[in-house]
Amino acid sequence: MTTSHLGRLAMAAIIAAMILVPVIQTSEESLNLVSLILIWALFAIGFDLIFGMAGMLSFGHAALFGSGGYALTLLVTKAGVGFVPALGAAGMVGAVMAFGLSIFALRVSGLFFSLLTLALAQLVYILASTKLRSHTGGLDGIPGVPRPELFGIDFYDNRNYYYFLIVVFIVGIAVMALLRASPFGKALQAVQANDVRAAQIGYNVQRLRQCAFMISGFYAGVSGALLASLMFYISPQMLHWTTSGDVLIMTVLGGKGTLLGPILGVAVFEVLKEKLSQYTQHWYGILGLIFILCTIFLPNGIAGLFARKAAGRPGDAP
Amino acid sequence: MSRVRDGASAGGLRCENIQVAFGGLKAVAGVSYDFKPGHLYGLIGPNGAGKTTLMNALSGHATLSGGRVFLDNRDITRLSVHARTRAGLGRSFQITKIFSGMSVLENLQLGAFAHRYRVQPFWMPASRFRDVREDAEKVLEQVGLTKLAHTSADYLSHGDQRALEVGLTLLGDPRVLLLDEPLAGVGHERLDQAIDLIRRIVAGRTVLLIEHNMDVVMQVSHEIVVMVQGQLLASGSPDEVRANPAVRAAYLGEGE
Ligand SMILES: Nc1ncnc2c1ncn2[C@@H]1O[C@H](COP(=O)(O)OP(=O)(O)OP(=O)(O)O)[C@@H](O)[C@H]1O
Ligand SMILES: [Mg+2]
């Protein structure tokens, strides 16, 4: 039941490297890149709680991500709520949206679950771009999404905002690590491994799935809000189904079912995207190709290269 | 010598006119029976008779098209699978359902967590729960898998997987135990050991045992229930059932 030492070492190295980035790397572009990685990594580890741990493939995470962004934007600019409470509220909105989705989507399983979450999320996308135009700015989006105002620090400076992101990220990682190692996390793994047996030994399978989905929604909402704030801008693009596709690709690329995997996947995805898009406009196609090759040759993702299986074959030392 | 050691703590299971249909096929076509506390019932019948489906109806996996199920006179017909488990109903499966990718001990610990906590704790690593580990280790010993505690369930021999399957039903100490062919596929060399395990765990519980091995089922059961084409054909002591001409014609006659 323990994470491998190698995984923990890698995690510590990643966090240390991230803290050092603004010290070593001074360019605005690289700062922006690692900020994006932090935010998407938060989104991806939340996504993996249901995908890698509980075995549910949601195609509706864009709706949770985008709703968080809109929630923060509207709460701060229209309702005058402080940034940090609004960030928490964005997470809650993500969780509530996830609850709403789950009421319908958890009635079905497998492919139908994925399709239903996709359809419901597209509904949210269409609502935001048309019917709710007066609040969301329609397809034009809302410019001027604010940054935090705390301790008199200027978070409009990208370096300072980066440190704010690191703090949120580390809290997010720590909470997720605990969730995954807890009996709750083990129960999700049980549900994924064999849901009939899980119910038979007394787990309330549907309730576990619903809880996981809501926590995942909280992470999505918070990370969506952070992204809007990073870019000073939000548009329905965040709600678009491709956002759900991206987080899935990142998670599979890095290695689902591990804490480290999604973070690595996000980093590789974002760096490749950044580099490739400088040379060709077909970067998305090339990323797709890399993704396909990875699923063939690295079925456990990049993290699969690091991790060892916890349970051994007969004869292995315990 | 009585095989019923502590009938008082065992539970009674009663079904009334149970019906389960798959499309036009009536897999269970109106079964009523009163399983008395502390007794071991052998449920026999030819392939496709509806034995597993009846067990699914009792444990909550099948949707009933009619009838009711009572546990200790409490109507549990509308309870979900996990709620019935919490009410004291344990169940093993004909087709092994264990948690693959996890060790034997982890498999059993999941069972212990499920029973001990209604809301699964999320604020502490699972490895900190001593009581759960002890529960799991107790069952580990009961089913004779202590030496294989840290082996992945995927790498167990078939016989050991069947032992783990039975072990998973024991967590939470169920009063009523439904065992669906626990000996299925167990090789000759292990059969005695497996029968021994069954004998040990059934003590003090109400048990419904589906088993194709006639010698075994006639030996361990207090009462035999014969099912054919979704209906009960006969029931009674092993001797009575063996002597029943209808049973001989419909079932025992073939191939025995
Ligand atoms: N999920 C299902 N969908 C459709 N038909 C089913 C289903 N489950 C069982 N059946 C059918 O119901 C009948 C009873 O099956 P069941 O598995 O209960 O028999 P059984 O007595 O357990 O047989 P065996 O001794 O082979 O295990 C069979 O005809 C079977 O094909
Ligand atoms: Mg059967």
Side-chain angles (χ1 to χ4, degrees):
Chain A
M1 291 207 175
T2 53
T3 355
S4 73
H5 289 293
L6 225 59
R8 253 183 238 174
L9 260 175
M11 189 70 75
I14 286 179
I15 291 174
M18 284 181 325
I19 293 171
L20 285 176
V21 163
V23 182
I24 300 163
Q25 276 286 356
T26 42
S27 76
E28 280 287 314
E29 290 83 49
S30 49
L31 207 56
N32 190 54
L33 180 62
V34 275
S35 298
L36 273 175
I37 292 175
L38 286 183
I39 291 168
W40 277 87
L42 211 51
F43 184 25
I45 60 169
F47 176 75
D48 193 57
L49 183 71
I50 63 153
F51 179 53
M53 293 286 279
M56 301 144 70
L57 174 49
S58 156
F59 256 107
H61 263 53
L64 315 175
F65 191 59
S67 305
Y70 278 108
L72 176 107
T73 306
L74 295 177
L75 280 173
V76 178
T77 59
K78 296 258 163 72
V81 178
F83 186 92
V84 174
L87 187 61
M92 293 308 293
V93 167
V96 169
M97 292 284 293
F99 178 75
L101 282 187
S102 75
I103 288 176
F104 301 101
L106 279 181
R107 288 171 191 276
V108 293
S109 59
L111 181 62
F112 296 103
F113 174 81
S114 305
L115 290 178
L116 205 50
T117 50
L118 174 64
L120 291 169
Q122 277 303 93
L123 201 66
V124 174
Y125 170 75
I126 291 165
L127 277 180
S129 20
T130 56
K131 288 273 181 280
L132 298 174
R133 198 178 304 139
S134 54
H135 298 287
T136 63
L139 286 171
D140 296 334
I142 308 171
V145 178
R147 292 267 175 97
E149 277 169 29
L150 278 177
F151 318 121
I153 300 170
D154 177 20
F155 285 108
Y156 285 83
D157 178 316
N158 283 339
R159 191 168 311 267
N160 291 341
Y161 186 59
Y162 176 79
Y163 282 116
F164 180 84
L165 290 178
I166 285 197
V167 171
V168 178
F169 178 75
I170 290 177
V171 171
I173 287 277
V175 169
M176 188 54 76
L178 185 58
L179 280 177
R180 296 171 72 104
S182 73
F184 170 71
K186 300 296 166 192
L188 295 183
Q189 287 177 320
V191 167
Q192 157 152 251
N194 196 324
D195 57 348
V196 175
R197 171 52 84 183
Q200 186 56 59
I201 60 177
Y203 283 124
N204 188 338
V205 171
Q206 287 304 73
R207 186 140 54 98
L208 283 166
R209 285 187 173 135
Q210 197 160 43
C211 285
F213 205 50
M214 288 173 70
I215 295 168
S216 188
F218 188 91
Y219 273 73
V222 167
S223 47
L226 290 173
L227 183 64
S229 175
L230 175 75
M231 302 190 307
F232 304 113
Y233 174 66
I234 182 158
S235 76
Q237 191 54 37
M238 265 172 79
L239 293 164
H240 196 250
W241 66 269
T242 47
T243 304
S244 304
D246 283 348
V247 76
L248 170 65
I249 289 176
M250 291 166 173
T251 306
V252 172
L253 194 64
K256 68 174 178 125
T258 60
L259 189 54
L260 184 61
I263 303 170
L264 289 177
V266 169
V268 170
F269 185 99
E270 288 292 339
V271 169
L272 279 178
K273 175 178 159 187
E274 173 86 9
K275 299 293 169 207
L276 289 175
S277 59
Q278 285 170 5
Y279 297 107
T280 164
Q281 7 166 325
H282 304 300
W283 60 270
Y284 206 83
I286 299 177
L287 264 180
L289 198 65
I290 294 174
F291 172 70
I292 290 168
L293 289 176
C294 267
T295 49
I296 295 170
F297 294 108
L298 290 175
N300 294 319
I302 302 166
L305 297 170
F306 294 86
R308 282 174 299 135
K309 281 211 86 172
R313 291 164 181 275
D316 276 8
Chain B
M1 190 198 80
S2 168
R3 278 170 296 223
V4 188
R5 284 206 206 128
D6 182 15
S9 68
L13 186 65
R14 182 159 52 89
C15 49
E16 274 177 12
N17 195 27
I18 301 266
Q19 297 164 48
V20 181
F22 298 112
L25 175 78
K26 284 186 178 156
V28 179
V31 168
S32 304
Y33 206 79
D34 191 0
F35 301 99
K36 300 222 166 54
H39 284 248
L40 197 163
Y41 296 85
L43 179 58
I44 64 171
N47 290 115
K51 305 181 294 294
T52 297
T53 307
L54 174 63
M55 214 171 246
N56 284 343
L58 298 176
S59 58
H61 293 282
T63 314
L64 299 191
S65 40
R68 295 198 291 174
V69 186
F70 296 86
L71 180 64
D72 290 332
N73 292 321
R74 172 187 173 201
D75 190 340
I76 59 166
T77 315
R78 301 201 160 272
L79 292 191
S80 55
V81 173
H82 64 92
R84 293 184 200 206
T85 301
R86 294 210 167 121
L89 196 75
R91 158 92 198 258
S92 82
F93 296 93
Q94 182 172 358
I95 298 162
T96 307
K97 295 195 195 309
I98 53 183
F99 299 114
S100 78
M102 302 182 200
S103 74
V104 173
L105 183 64
E106 283 169 343
N107 263 268
L108 295 173
Q109 275 174 316
L110 287 172
F113 275 123
H115 276 285
R116 275 188 182 262
Y117 301 97
R118 203 161 272 261
V119 173
Q120 290 301 307
F122 49 84
W123 51 87
M124 213 155 71
S127 51
R128 296 262 192 88
F129 291 77
R130 277 263 180 80
D131 44 358
V132 163
R133 198 181 162 105
E134 280 161 17
D135 287 356
E137 279 167 350
K138 224 163 68 190
V139 172
L140 207 53
E141 208 177 303
Q142 259 181 305
V143 299
L145 291 175
T146 305
K147 283 205 181 103
L148 296 169
H150 298 284
T151 301
S152 165
D154 306 324
Y155 298 125
L156 293 182
S157 70
H158 182 77
D160 287 330
Q161 286 195 345
R162 293 307 286 172
L164 178 57
E165 170 76 29
V166 170
L168 280 170
T169 67
L170 296 181
L171 291 144
D173 199 16
R175 292 171 296 141
V176 178
L177 205 49
L178 310 176
L179 301 173
D180 196 350
E181 301 196 32
L183 304 177
V186 175
H188 262 293
E189 69 289 351
R190 280 200 60 135
L191 200 57
D192 288 343
Q193 195 186 336
I195 295 169
D196 223 46
L197 170 63
I198 306 290
R199 280 185 189 282
R200 264 183 288 131
I201 62 166
V202 297
R205 307 179 207 276
T206 310
V207 180
L208 184 56
L209 170 72
I210 301 178
E211 184 46 59
H212 279 295
N213 186 325
M214 280 309 131
D215 294 338
V216 174
V217 78
M218 293 292 177
Q219 218 181 88
V220 300
S221 305
H222 297 116
E223 211 164 308
I224 303 287
V225 180
V226 187
M227 197 168 172
V228 175
Q229 288 184 358
Q231 285 173 320
L232 295 192
L233 180 70
S235 66
S237 73
D239 289 337
E240 283 165 13
V241 167
R242 235 188 245 123
N244 186 322
V247 175
R248 295 186 79 93
Y251 180 54
L252 292 175
E254 339 164 327
E256 277 303 304

